[in-house]
Amino acid sequence: MANIKSAKKRILVNRTKADRNKSIKSAVKTSIKKVEAAVANKDKDAATAALTAAVSTISKATSKGVYHKNNCARKISRLTKAVNTLD
């Protein structure tokens, strides 16, 4: 355990940030799974609605610095492509 006051604070701050990032990443994964489930069921309306929510969640995660912008773009692109294959 750290003895210096600033080191103790860094431990607390890092723990807080890690918890926040974990929560955001979990939300992103859940939204992606909802889109993939709708695509698997071939439900175009549900997939489109889930895609809109997923894009919003992923973009928020990127703006908060949890994901790199290219990672975000790749995730959104793959989901959009999957939804667009439905007819």
Side-chain angles (χ1 to χ4, degrees), residues 34-43 46-47 79 82-86:
K34 286 181 182 177
V35 174
E36 290 173 346
V39 169
N41 291 334
K42 300 191 186 312
D43 188 355
L79 290 176
V83 171
N84 287 342
T85 58
L86 296 176

Side-chain angles (χ1 to χ4, degrees), residues 34-82:
K34 286 181 182 177
V35 174
E36 290 173 346
V39 169
N41 291 334
K42 300 191 186 312
D43 188 355
K44 179 82 170 175
D45 296 331
T48 306
L51 176 66
T52 305
V55 168
S56 175
T57 307
I58 295 169
S59 297
K60 284 179 187 173
T62 304
S63 68
K64 293 177 188 300
V66 178
Y67 287 114
H68 189 273
K69 65 177 186 171
N70 291 351
N71 190 346
C72 166
R74 184 178 67 245
K75 287 179 187 295
I76 291 174
S77 176
R78 287 178 179 172
L79 290 176
T80 305
K81 187 176 178 183

Side-chain angles (χ1 to χ4, degrees), residues 4-52:
I4 299 170
K5 186 176 182 181
S6 63
K8 289 178 181 177
K9 182 179 179 183
R10 291 306 325 155
I11 290 169
L12 293 174
V13 170
N14 287 338
R15 188 177 299 147
T16 303
K17 287 184 177 182
D19 290 343
R20 174 177 154 268
N21 290 347
K22 185 185 281 189
S23 172
I24 292 170
K25 284 184 177 185
S26 176
V28 168
K29 289 177 187 175
T30 302
S31 64
I32 289 172
K33 286 179 186 175
K34 286 181 182 177
V35 174
E36 290 173 346
V39 169
N41 291 334
K42 300 191 186 312
D43 188 355
K44 179 82 170 175
D45 296 331
T48 306
L51 176 66
T52 305

